[in-house]
């Protein structure tokens, strides 16, 4: 049942997202002034509301108010959003019990599934151990968070935990469809299933995680880790890159068909991968590919909606990941400043026009549609976005 609920959640997000399929109309004025706000305080404000309304012991609830069928504790994906937001707040100087929150990941860890005794993080928890499906993109994103935690705290425990993810990811790779990772472990064993696919999210975030792990892993591991990362990147370029938009299609199904849906986070992670591969290898072509996808994503997804130049008006967690990529790109591409400023104005519009009486953000930051405010994932995205913007702008807590 928990696995089914997780898949239904994913399907609900997939079917409810604006993928930018309407024609792009370039705004007349792309240099709107940036409103200066106290971004650290706004990030902390939403984080405090999360702790007030979503807390469930040491973990958090999936929704507030709780929805029909909700388990006691959130799925791993929304919990990860909380960790990402806490990371930004910790770096801004707030005491958010960051180490304790990162430690919560271990309550989702499960040692075996499908006879595979390589440990990995499950999609759900009973409050002490993991359960549900083990998704390869989830595990990679957790790895990214663990390595970020290492860089912030210098605690080598986080490297040790991240290292466990590498063999789990390798267990999800095979030579079907030319290589690469499946979406999740359940359907990796059943390629005839309609859910069996090799998506950009799994392979893109595995690439990012591996490139981050490469920087801190033992010297003896480096060649293998880099080979894994570059092979996944090459597979994505060969199989899921869309030359028309410079973005990346969603997935390649087990039967070979391509799901051509485009998402902001898939573009974002490939921008980050191009930057890191250029830094590691010295090959500037990777950076050029990152810049092209960054511009392509901005041209494709950003439109005037409800009177505000905005990123997609659904699924803000996806947009947050594109923002993080643009922030990474800023040191290499002057255009990134425009991308980031547009996002900054967009989230500030949401703060003024798209919040509940309690103070939570609606999913749609344009203010046109007051929906899906109850999701922990939606609120975690706000904290991470404001926190990342504050760090980019050189702000700290007052």
């Amino acid at each position: 049942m928990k696995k089914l609920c997780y898949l239904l959640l994913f399907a609900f997000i997939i079917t409810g997202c604006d993928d930018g399929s309407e024609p792009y109309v370039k705004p007349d004025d792309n240099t709107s002034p940036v409103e200066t706000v106290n971004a650290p305080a706004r990030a902390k404000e939403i984080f405090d509301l999360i702790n007030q309304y979503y807390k469930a012991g040491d973990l958090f609830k999936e929704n507030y108010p709780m929805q029909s069928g909700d388990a006691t504790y959130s799925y791993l994906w929304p919990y990860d959003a909380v960790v990402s937001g806490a990371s930004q707040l910790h770096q801004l100087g707030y005491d958010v019990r960051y180490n304790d929150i990162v430690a919560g990941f271990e309550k989702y860890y499960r040692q075996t599934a499908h006879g595979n005794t390589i440990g990995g993080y499950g999609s759900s928890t009973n409050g002490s151990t993991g359960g549900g499906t083990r998704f390869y993109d989830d595990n990679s994103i957790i790895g990214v968070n663990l390595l970020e935690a290492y860089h912030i705290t210098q605690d080598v425990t986080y490297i040790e935990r991240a290292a466990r993810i590498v063999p789990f990811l390798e267990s999800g790779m095979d030579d079907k469809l030319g290589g690469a990772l499946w979406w999740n472990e359940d359907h990796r064993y059943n390629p005839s299933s309609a859910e069996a696919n090799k998506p950009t999210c799994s392979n893109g975030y595995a690439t990012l995680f591996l490139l981050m792990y490469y920087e801190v892993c033992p010297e003896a591991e480096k060649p293998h880790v880099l080979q894994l990362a570059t092979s996944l990147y090459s597979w994505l370029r060969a199989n899921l890159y869309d030359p028309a938009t410079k973005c990346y299609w969603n997935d390649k199904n087990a039967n070979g068909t391509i799901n051509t849906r485009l998402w902001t986070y898939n573009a974002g992670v490939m921008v980050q991968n191009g930057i890191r591969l250029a830094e590691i290898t010295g090959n500037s072509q990777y950076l050029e590919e990152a810049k092209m996808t960054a511009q392509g994503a901005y041209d494709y997804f950003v439109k005037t909606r409800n009177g505000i130049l905005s990123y997609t008006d659904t699924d803000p967690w996806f947009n947050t990941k594109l923002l993080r990529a643009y922030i990474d790109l800023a040191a290499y591409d002057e255009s990134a400043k425009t991308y980031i400023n547009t996002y900054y104005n967009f989230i500030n519009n949401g703060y003024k026009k798209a919040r509940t009486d309690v103070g939570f953000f609606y999913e749609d930051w344009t203010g046109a549609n007051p929906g899906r405010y109850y999701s922990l994932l939606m609120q975690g995205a706000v904290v991470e976005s404001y926190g990342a913007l504050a760090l980019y702008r050189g702000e700290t807590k007052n």
Side-chain angles (χ1 to χ4, degrees), residues 279-290:
E279 291 172 342
I280 291 169
T281 67
N283 184 345
S284 61
Q285 180 60 32
Y286 289 123
L287 182 58
E288 292 309 307
E289 290 168 357

Side-chain angles (χ1 to χ4, degrees), residues 46 50 78 81-82 85 317 320 375-385:
I46 303 304
I50 288 173
V82 174
W317 186 87
T320 299
S375 167
L376 177 64
L377 184 67
M378 306 297 170
Q379 305 312 320
V382 176
V383 178
E384 183 180 1
S385 288

Side-chain angles (χ1 to χ4, degrees), residues 177-178 182 196-200 235 238-240 249-259:
L177 304 177
W182 294 95
N197 64 78
K198 294 187 172 183
T200 297
W235 186 90
N239 289 272
L240 294 177
W249 294 313
N250 190 73
D251 67 79
K252 190 170 190 176
N253 192 271
N255 63 17
T257 60
I258 302 293
N259 176 354

Side-chain angles (χ1 to χ4, degrees), residues 6-238:
Y6 193 86
L7 293 173
L8 288 173
L9 169 68
F10 186 86
F12 180 64
I13 291 176
I14 292 289
T15 56
C17 182
D18 168 14
D19 67 347
S21 57
E22 67 268 30
Y24 174 71
V25 178
K26 190 174 182 62
D28 293 332
D29 177 16
N30 202 26
T31 58
S32 301
V34 177
E35 176 189 7
T36 299
V37 303
N38 189 334
R42 290 187 175 184
K44 183 60 161 52
E45 176 187 349
I46 303 304
F47 185 78
D48 287 345
L49 287 173
I50 288 173
N51 278 278
Q52 181 178 351
Y53 289 96
Y54 286 84
K55 205 77 169 68
D58 293 333
L59 301 174
F60 296 87
K61 294 178 285 191
E62 180 82 8
N63 297 295
Y64 175 81
M66 292 187 72
Q67 305 295 297
S68 175
D70 278 359
T72 303
Y73 306 103
S74 78
Y75 287 107
L76 180 60
W77 183 11
Y79 188 79
D80 177 83
V82 174
V83 175
S84 296
S87 169
Q88 310 309 298
L89 289 170
H90 180 80
Q91 293 176 78
L92 289 167
Y94 290 103
D95 180 6
V96 294
R97 296 175 58 249
Y98 176 55
N99 289 330
D100 292 340
I101 292 176
V102 179
F105 278 143
E106 300 313 298
K107 297 179 185 295
Y108 290 86
Y109 195 80
R110 57 181 304 190
Q111 186 55 55
T112 183
H114 294 286
N116 180 0
T117 57
I118 298 173
Y121 292 91
S123 59
S124 63
T125 181
N126 62 9
S128 60
T129 59
T133 302
R134 300 197 296 189
F135 289 80
Y136 298 112
D137 58 330
D138 280 357
N139 277 263
S140 295
I141 293 166
I142 288 168
V144 168
N145 271 291
L146 290 172
L147 293 173
E148 185 172 62
Y150 165 71
H151 287 299
I152 294 169
T153 67
Q154 294 300 297
D155 185 344
V156 296
T157 300
Y158 297 126
I159 296 179
E160 294 165 359
R161 291 175 180 171
R164 300 178 305 184
I165 296 172
V166 177
F168 176 68
L169 295 179
E170 289 188 89
S171 74
M173 300 177 188
D174 60 26
D175 59 2
K176 293 180 175 62
L177 304 177
L181 266 165
W182 294 95
W183 178 36
N184 66 67
E185 192 174 37
D186 286 13
H187 299 295
R188 176 251 185 277
Y189 292 95
N190 182 18
S192 64
S193 167
E195 300 290 345
N197 64 78
K198 294 187 172 183
T200 297
C201 62
S202 292
N203 291 282
Y205 278 99
T207 303
L208 178 60
F209 162 67
L210 290 166
L211 293 173
M212 291 179 67
Y213 181 65
Y214 173 87
E215 297 174 351
V216 298
C217 72
E219 286 296 323
E221 292 183 37
K222 287 185 183 295
H224 180 60
V225 171
L226 184 58
Q227 183 275 325
L228 287 174
T230 54
S231 68
L232 294 178
Y233 184 91
S234 296
W235 186 90
L236 285 161
R237 291 289 298 180

